[in-house]
Every structure is written in C-alpha cells, then in structure tokens.
C-alpha cells in the first residue's frame, strides 16, 4: 500500500481564522514533506520532517507552522493567512534513508483564503 | 545544483497516437529520475522511476521511459494514448540527501 491521505480535501478560511491540514501514512516512512502548488506550476517544497524532527524549512512564513506528532502523522497549522496563500497543499512521504527514496504524494488539500 | 527542464509546456495528441514527453536533467553524478502524473485538482501519482540498471524503465498505465546519460535525458513514452491520459506530467530529479527537483511540467491534451 502506497497511500498517503490528507484531510480536508477542500478548505475555505478567512484571513483571521486558524485551521489545520492533516496528513497520514502507514507505510513506515520516516520522512514527510509539505509542498505548496499554485495553478500550472510544479510543487514547491515547504518543510521536511525526518524521523519526526524538522530538517528543512524553505524560508516559509511563520503563519505556516508544521507539526509531526508521530512517525505517521504530519500537520500544517495555518494562522493569519493571506489570499496569495491559496493553493493546493500536498503532503508526501518516503522511507527517509536519504538514498534511493521514492516520494509518494497524497491527494492534496485545496485551500482558499478569502 | 541539480535541475530539470521540460521543454514542452503543452502537447496535444490524438487518441490512439504515440506519445513522447521530453525531460532533460542537469546533475554531476548519477541522478535518480522520476515521472509523476497529476490530474486536475489531484495529487501526484508516480508513473515510474530510474535509479540504476536497465536504462529502459517500465511504469504503470503502459508508460515507459529511457535514461540516456549521453543526452542527459529521461523521456517518457507511450505507444497509444487514451483519453484518460490527459493530465499534467512532471519529471523530477533527486539524489542521495538532496531534495526532489521538479520540472515545470507538460500539460497533455488528448483529442478524439
């Protein structure tokens, strides 16, 4: 099974709201990723967790706050977002060996910020 | 630094015709190469990957890709496309301890 699940599928929020995106995998993967994807563009890496520790933060604004409660779960907490943050947010995971790892992606959360 | 170029932004193919999507990479050592497909509003699905060994790689949905080191290419092919193949296709390059780098994508349109 190579499934990564994400909830919710769609999210509409105001600029003052606080919301969270969730990602889950049960493949025993030890690296998990958040990507942001704008229309007609490739995914842009936001964060990487390796063995539940944040290993890469691609200079993402602090209104995005990642959390990795355990090896299967990854959250992205959202607060005071801007309309330009509207995008498809993708979660991915891989084995985390740092070698010939293949990333598997979830279906994404379509976020609209009003 | 590694990079990927997909020179074709948009390709239109008739249903039943053959397909080739181009991908060129830049990396000093042997890269790990991937093709992903994305239907509108969906996540990325892995079609195939190349790490080493046989340079012709078979993937899902009838796709294959050939690694050509001399041309720094990893082109994706399918002998006969179906309407359901209409999607965005991303080539990506990775390496040990390096993040995945995506190309800009090629949008495939299928006409009846």
């Amino acid at each position: 099974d190579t499934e990564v699940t994400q909830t919710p599928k769609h999210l509409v929020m105001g600029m003052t709201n606080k919301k969270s995106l969730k990602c889950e995998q049960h493949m025993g993967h030890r690296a998990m990723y958040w990507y942001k994807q704008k229309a007609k563009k490739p995914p842009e890496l936001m964060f990487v967790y390796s063995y539940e520790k944040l290993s890469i933060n691609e200079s993402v604004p602090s209104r995005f706050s990642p959390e990795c409660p355990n090896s299967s779960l990854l959250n992205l907490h959202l607060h005071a977002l801007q309309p330009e943050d509207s995008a498809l947010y993708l979660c991915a995971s891989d084995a985390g060996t740092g070698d010939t790892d293949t990333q598997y992606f979830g279906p994404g959360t379509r976020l609209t910020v009003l | 630094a590694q990079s990927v170029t997909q020179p074709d932004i948009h390709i239109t193919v008739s249903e039943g015709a053959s397909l080739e999507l181009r991908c060129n990479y830049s990396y000093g050592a042997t890269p790990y190469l991937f093709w992903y497909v994305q239907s509108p509003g969906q996540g990325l699905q892995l079609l195939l990957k190349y790490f080493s060994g046989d340079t012709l790689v078979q993937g899902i949905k009838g796709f294959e890709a050939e690694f050509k080191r001399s041309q720094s290419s990893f082109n994706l092919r399918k002998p006969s496309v179906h309407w359901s193949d209409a999607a965005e296709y991303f080539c990506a390059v990775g390496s040990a301890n390096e993040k995945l780098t995506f190309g800009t994508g090629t949008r495939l349109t299928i006409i009846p």
Side-chain angles (χ1 to χ4, degrees), chain A residues 75-93:
Chain A
N75 297 322
L76 186 63
H77 302 299
L78 314 173
H79 174 55
L81 295 193
Q82 303 297 309
E84 60 264 29
D85 296 321
S86 298
L88 182 68
Y89 287 84
L90 295 165
C91 174
S93 70

Side-chain angles (χ1 to χ4, degrees), chain A residues 36-55:
Chain A
K36 174 183 178 180
Q37 187 181 25
K38 302 286 276 185
K40 302 186 189 302
K41 298 289 187 183
E44 299 174 31
L45 184 64
M46 301 175 71
F47 302 104
V48 181
Y49 272 84
S50 179
Y51 289 79
E52 294 112 71
K53 293 191 186 316
L54 184 65
S55 60

Side-chain angles (χ1 to χ4, degrees), chain B residues 3 5-6 10 12 20-21 24 27-28 32 36-37 39-40 49 53 55 62 67-68 86 88 90 96-97 105 109:
Chain B
S3 66
T5 301
Q6 292 181 250
H10 184 202
T12 299
E20 183 169 26
L21 301 182
N24 293 96
Y27 184 65
Y32 308 143
Y36 287 89
V37 61
S39 296
K49 59 189 177 185
T55 56
F67 172 63
K68 292 186 177 180
E88 189 84 18
F90 291 99
N97 297 309
T109 297

Side-chain angles (χ1 to χ4, degrees), chain A residues 29 33 93-104, chain B residues 30-34 36 46 49-53 94-98 100:
Chain A
H29 286 172
Y33 305 76
S93 70
D94 67 35
T97 67
D99 193 10
T100 56
D101 296 331
T102 299
Q103 286 188 29
Y104 295 94
Chain B
T30 299
Y32 308 143
L33 295 159
F34 307 85
Y36 287 89
L46 180 70
K49 59 189 177 185
Y50 172 79
F51 290 159
S52 64
S95 59
N97 297 309
E98 290 280 347
L100 203 57

